[in-house]
Amino acid sequence: MTSAKLITGEQLARAAASDFRNFFLPLCGPTILIRVGSVQNPCIRSNKSGSFIVIPNEMAQEKIDNPDRLHFHLLILGHEIAHLVHMHLHGETLEAEDNSSLEFWADFYGAKVMMALIMFGEKVSQEYRTLQPSRVSFEQRVESIGNGVAMLKPYYNENKRYPLPLMRVSLSSIGVTSFLRQYYIGQNPSPGWMLTVQRKILLHPEHNDLIKFSSDQIKNFAAPIKRARRWHIKMQKRNDLAYNLNPRMRPYISPIFDESYRDMEWKRKKIYEELDELAVLVGEPDMFKSDQSRWSKPDIY
């Protein structure tokens, strides 16, 4: 492959924006505008015309020559798309904890957007197949995603307006797992694939220092989930876009928060059944038993 054939960060961003729009019903998807500017980090901005994503000049000009860089760019774009599609700039001024909960959600949802783009995006999947041949194993593919997540480490800020760094790594891992759980429905793979995702993303060598010195950062998922859910339910009274997602994409990237407690409990039960299978597989049958009691109705509402 010659450098002339390599896609740039700006081209990838525009391809991702186009593909994400096509995940919605015809003429109903969001018009995601991409702008390039002198910003330190990718972000969303808004003016009288609406919201748009701004990417730094360096990111826009970078030639993407391997799947690790592709995943890195898509994770960033997915995060910003999450902010945009959930109307995170349209609410009232946020308290630090509310802002952190929205960043929490953008990390999780953004990882699912990345997966949707490489699996189902017409333009992005073509670039992915160019850089990642079909003969590559599942473990190698997830390892590349883990490398992309590891590249995000310089972007993680330790302040109260953002989730803690190890929590953000965990959210990317959980987002990938959530997407693949839907993708594998009916295929009945061994639950060992979930362990592969954890090993290659959360336990990536680049995260060793976070795990060694900051392992207590992964705790209390309930609080930001409750805050994010409450905020999004309120905003969805004004967000018709959320209901225009193509039905085939809803299991993967639905932005709607209208599930009943009964449905959520059923899903929670299925997840822990799978985790218990995984625990048996690794020889620790009680690994997730103590966690299951944490998710009660007050934790969700």
Side-chain angles (χ1 to χ4, degrees), residues 247-266:
R248 76 180 182 91
M249 296 303 299
R250 286 177 188 166
Y252 300 103
I253 54 170
S254 174
I256 301 173
F257 288 73
D258 62 354
E259 284 186 301
S260 68
Y261 176 69
R262 180 180 178 181
D263 287 342
M264 286 189 287
E265 277 295 286
W266 181 85

Side-chain angles (χ1 to χ4, degrees), residues 1-189:
M1 182 186 300
T2 65
S3 59
K5 295 181 180 179
L6 296 179
I7 192 171
T8 65
E10 181 179 358
Q11 290 169 332
L12 179 63
R14 297 190 186 284
S18 174
D19 282 348
F20 191 83
R21 177 177 174 82
N22 288 333
F23 290 155
F24 290 73
L25 298 174
L27 305 179
C28 294
T31 299
I32 299 175
L33 299 177
I34 303 294
R35 298 185 180 178
V36 178
S38 299
V39 293
Q40 184 174 0
N41 297 315
C43 56
I44 56 170
R45 294 284 185 265
S46 64
N47 54 28
K48 294 181 180 179
S49 300
S51 300
F52 50 90
I53 296 174
V54 185
I55 59 175
N57 292 309
E58 297 80 4
M59 180 178 173
Q61 295 165 8
E62 182 179 11
K63 295 291 183 65
I64 299 172
D65 59 357
N66 63 72
D68 299 357
R69 300 302 299 183
L70 181 79
H71 289 128
F72 166 70
H73 276 251
L74 291 177
L75 283 162
I76 289 174
L77 294 167
H79 180 99
E80 301 306 331
I81 287 173
H83 282 314
L84 192 148
V85 77
H86 288 90
M87 300 179 67
H88 287 174
L89 285 186
H90 292 256
E92 64 279 359
T93 301
L94 297 174
E95 296 180 3
E97 287 184 326
D98 287 317
N99 190 85
S100 179
S101 74
L102 298 188
E103 293 292 339
F104 177 105
W105 185 256
D107 283 342
F108 166 71
Y109 187 85
K112 296 204 293 182
V113 169
M114 173 198 69
M115 295 298 295
L117 290 168
I118 64 177
M119 298 296 287
F120 304 125
E122 180 181 356
K123 297 176 180 178
V124 173
S125 67
Q126 183 177 346
E127 297 299 330
Y128 177 76
R129 289 192 298 270
T130 299
L131 296 171
Q132 190 79 285
S134 59
R135 65 179 180 274
V136 171
S137 69
F138 173 79
E139 185 163 335
Q140 289 172 303
R141 292 176 188 276
V142 178
E143 182 175 19
S144 179
I145 295 173
N147 292 339
V149 173
M151 292 177 191
L152 292 170
K153 194 174 178 182
Y155 289 81
Y156 296 152
N157 299 306
E158 288 203 38
N159 68 59
K160 61 184 180 180
R161 293 182 60 81
Y162 293 89
L164 292 168
L166 190 57
M167 176 74 86
R168 302 192 71 176
V169 175
S170 180
L171 288 165
S172 293
S173 178
I174 293 170
V176 172
T177 302
S178 176
F179 180 95
L180 290 175
R181 283 189 70 253
Q182 293 296 325
Y183 186 77
Y184 285 140
I185 286 178
Q187 299 183 43
N188 298 316

